[in-house]
Amino acid sequence: MADIPSAGVPLPRRPLTPSHDEVRLWYENVLGWPTVPGVPVRLAVGVLFDVLDVPAAAGYAALECLEPPEHPECAGRPERPRRRLEGPPCPGRCGRAFPVALSGGRMRLLVAAGSAEELPGLLEWLDWGAPLELDLRAIGAGGSMDAPRPHTSGARSGSQGAAVWLRPPGPGCEAVAPLPTLSAMGTRGVRGNCAGPPDLVRLVNTVATHVHRIRLRRPRTAAAAKTDGQPLAFS
């Protein structure tokens, strides 16, 4: 007779975090996103989307400024704080909540494929070109980004270095489109123009503004740190 396992022996548990193969299959089979061979899993950029890579602090501030009014479907719900970036958007705003990822101190905003080529000229047109040195770059065709774990979205994990989704793609909100794009007609969402994400010009200008503000604050912070704890001199 075969041995019967003791009732007190726990069954093997499924790992809390998905394996590399599970992550790759989720992106390729569920979302239809191409990945780059190798470990860890990386997403191919420039095929379905490009990426704006910015300091996380500037990205948070920019998304706050770009936060649209509530969709009519959300009318009547209790008032919530303006900051809604750490959780999924309400059902009426899926078109605006384009995917955003975090990795360490950086934020990756997914934009329409081809946007990386437009960025240098766009920055010049918006007067954010040379001699300004903005900590803002675009990843386009031939590039890649760390693939956030599908089931570990959240800003806190991203601060520890692992790539996570701040605004994850998935069912109910289109996984790739609509994304911010360079269009004179604006970006059209699934519910009409009012439901689309911000156009690329507005997104880049807003992000560049906050990147520049952070840069301007750094010298003041350093100067304050130098004088901290030193006695004041009076004449």
Side-chain angles (χ1 to χ4, degrees), residues 227 230-234:
T227 59
Q230 296 182 0
L232 296 177
F234 296 92

Side-chain angles (χ1 to χ4, degrees), residues 9 19 21 24 29 34 40 51 104 110 113 119 121 129 132 139 158 161 177 181 197 200 207 221 223 225:
V9 177
S19 67
D21 290 339
R24 190 180 304 278
N29 295 347
V51 174
L110 271 60
L119 184 63
L132 296 174
I139 307 173
T181 185
L200 188 64
V207 170
T221 304

Side-chain angles (χ1 to χ4, degrees), residues 50 114-121 138 140-141:
D50 285 358
S115 298
E117 297 178 5
E118 303 286 351
L119 184 63

Side-chain angles (χ1 to χ4, degrees), residues 15-187:
L16 295 179
T17 57
S19 67
H20 293 296
D21 290 339
E22 288 175 323
V23 172
R24 190 180 304 278
L25 289 175
W26 186 79
Y27 280 106
E28 293 182 348
N29 295 347
V30 177
L31 294 185
W33 291 11
T35 62
V36 177
V39 175
V41 181
R42 296 183 64 82
L43 304 175
V45 178
V47 181
L48 299 176
F49 57 85
D50 285 358
V51 174
L52 291 183
D53 183 291
V54 303
Y60 274 114
L63 291 179
E64 287 290 339
C65 289
L66 294 168
E67 194 79 354
E70 292 286 4
H71 191 274
E73 289 187 7
C74 301
R77 294 187 181 183
E79 185 68 22
R80 300 176 62 189
R82 182 171 177 75
R83 191 176 193 86
R84 287 185 291 270
L85 301 177
E86 295 185 5
C90 71
R93 302 174 53 225
C94 292
R96 291 184 180 268
F98 57 95
V100 177
L102 292 171
S103 181
R106 309 294 296 182
M107 181 178 288
R108 278 80 184 261
L109 302 101
L110 271 60
V111 294
S115 298
E117 297 178 5
E118 303 286 351
L119 184 63
L122 186 54
L123 289 173
E124 288 287 345
W125 184 71
L126 292 169
D127 293 330
W128 288 115
L132 296 174
E133 296 181 2
L134 296 179
D135 188 7
L136 163 64
R137 71 187 186 99
I139 307 173
S144 63
M145 63 172 277
D146 293 340
R149 296 277 175 168
H151 306 298
T152 57
S153 61
R156 293 180 182 177
S157 298
S159 63
Q160 298 173 2
V164 295
W165 284 115
L166 179 62
R167 288 179 170 176
C173 297
E174 295 179 61
V176 177
L179 296 174
T181 185
L182 191 62
S183 172
M185 301 301 294
T187 307

